[in-house]
Amino acid sequence: MREPKRYVACPVSELQPGTRKIVTIRGREIGVFNFHGKFYAVNNSCPHHQAPLCIGQVTPEMGSAGIGDYELKDGPPILSCPWHSYEFNMETGANLGFPDRYRVKTYQAKAEGDDVVIYI
Ligand code: FES
């Protein structure tokens, strides 16, 4: 297995918390997100029917102990597909409803100096 290569996605100043950017690296469209100061990179193709996944809504994961009770979790955010609302963990790529069936490719993303970099 080869070592991932480092690619600059954009300057950190272009990706403020709560924003995203879609970049093309090595022919792949990848969504790069800043969620509360942490960076995530997700392949921009939903594994269900290839929707442009990275234009979907980003939210914290919610948990519930029962009806009427819910809490926002501190873990990785959830990306919802704009076509059929399948939800994906933005760190692992696992689909929340069908984790054994659908998984989107994710990449390591972080700030290095003034740049947001992705390892592919
Ligand atoms: S194309 Fe994404 S859930 Fe169907």
Side-chain angles (χ1 to χ4, degrees):
M1 190 170 171
R2 71 172 180 79
E3 281 289 309
K5 286 179 81 172
R6 177 186 183 275
Y7 294 90
V8 174
C10 64
V12 171
S13 60
E14 282 185 16
L15 206 57
Q16 296 299 309
T19 65
R20 73 189 74 187
K21 185 177 182 84
I22 298 187
V23 298
T24 302
I25 298 175
R26 294 181 61 192
R28 300 175 211 190
E29 275 195 2
I30 298 171
V32 191
F33 301 78
N34 180 339
F35 186 78
H36 296 295
K38 189 164 180 203
F39 296 98
Y40 297 88
V42 179
N43 195 39
N44 189 29
S45 179
C46 179
H48 182 226
H49 285 288
Q50 291 71 54
L53 178 60
C54 294
I55 64 170
Q57 188 173 23
V58 178
T59 57
E61 186 174 3
M62 280 204 265
S64 175
I67 295 171
D69 174 71
Y70 65 91
E71 64 173 333
L72 300 178
K73 296 185 174 181
D74 286 336
I78 302 303
L79 178 60
S80 298
C81 181
W83 284 6
H84 311 110
S85 303
Y86 283 20
E87 297 178 312
F88 297 89
N89 178 308
M90 292 177 66
E91 192 166 276
T92 66
N95 177 267
L96 298 193
F98 307 98
D100 296 332
R101 187 160 178 199
Y102 297 111
R103 178 178 296 270
V104 67
K105 179 75 178 159
T106 59
Y107 308 92
Q108 182 185 18
K110 59 184 175 179
E112 288 182 357
D114 293 335
D115 294 322
V116 178
V117 299
I118 303 173
Y119 286 84
I120 297 176

